[in-house]
Amino acid sequence: MGTNRRTVFVLATLAFMGAPAVAAEVSAKRGAQVAVTSGCHDCHTANYLETGGTLDPALALKGTVLGWQGPWGTTYAANLRLVAREKGSEDAFLAYARTFQARPPMPFFNVHAMDESDLRSLYLYIVSLGEAGDPAPEYVPPGEEPKTPYIVVAPPTMPKG
Ligand code: HEC
């Protein structure tokens, strides 16, 4: 388990189809790609969206102080470096990632649906990112005014007629 690069063989493929085993790589490098293609940086990395996907390694997945406000209150994309360290191991992170719930606009159901090798790789990537930094601001319940800038996620405006 202690290596950075491993291979998970999908034996089911072999058993059912008689095809060669599919090798799913587990590595921090792959985790870096998963974080991009699954959109985690979009919300969890400051300045990423605004700069057209320029990733500042010092800010990667550290969460942001920009709130998302809606009927659920105001939420902040969490510091995933802290979350990964709190879980303490790849297996604990995997179990958590499969089951956690979060308020909007966090698409937690997308994380539940990720492949095991995606999630293990994501963990290796996150813990490779260096110092964990500070937590994102605390969740603010509905009706209370946040102390940070925030985006209002308003109900859709429907065309008349
Ligand atoms: C649209 C914005 C958005 C995207 C995209 C997004 N997140 Fe989040 N995420 C959030 C917000 C906001 C919260 C805080 C929700 C809350 O307070 O309940 C959050 C919370 C979380 C948490 C819970 C942290 C805790 O405190 O336990 C995890 C884990 C997480 N996100 C992982 C991910 C991963 C992995 C991806 C990429 C697959 C991702 N997020 C993509 C906005 C986003």
Side-chain angles (χ1 to χ4, degrees):
M1 282 305 214
T3 57
N4 278 335
R5 197 185 158 95
R6 277 176 291 121
T7 301
V8 174
F9 288 98
V10 182
L11 296 172
T13 309
L14 252 187
F16 291 115
M17 305 178 66
V22 176
E25 182 183 311
V26 172
S27 68
K29 183 167 175 270
R30 175 153 174 247
Q33 189 194 13
V34 167
V36 170
T37 56
S38 301
C40 311
H41 292 298
D42 297 3
C43 294
H44 287 269
T45 301
N47 297 331
Y48 182 75
L49 271 186
E50 299 89 321
T51 57
T54 303
L55 187 60
D56 178 346
L59 299 176
L61 301 183
K62 267 183 168 169
T64 69
V65 295
L66 179 63
W68 296 87
Q69 189 171 83
W72 57 85
T74 307
T75 50
Y76 299 88
N79 180 336
L80 297 184
R81 298 189 190 189
L82 284 175
V83 173
R85 278 173 176 74
E86 275 162 20
K87 300 311 159 205
S89 74
E90 201 181 297
D91 285 341
F93 180 81
L94 178 68
Y96 164 78
R98 286 262 187 263
T99 54
F100 79 104
Q101 306 274 324
R103 301 175 196 91
M106 172 60 214
F108 60 88
F109 34 85
N110 293 355
V111 180
H112 294 182
M114 286 164 75
D115 285 343
E116 178 174 336
S117 55
D118 288 340
L119 290 169
R120 290 187 179 278
S121 296
L122 194 56
Y123 176 81
L124 293 179
Y125 169 59
I126 296 172
V127 296
S128 79
L129 283 172
E131 57 100 22
D134 298 321
E138 289 269 324
Y139 159 72
V140 180
E144 287 181 26
E145 193 54 24
K147 296 188 177 66
T148 66
Y150 58 88
I151 293 169
V152 177
V153 185
T157 306
M158 303 303 285
K160 292 206 174 77

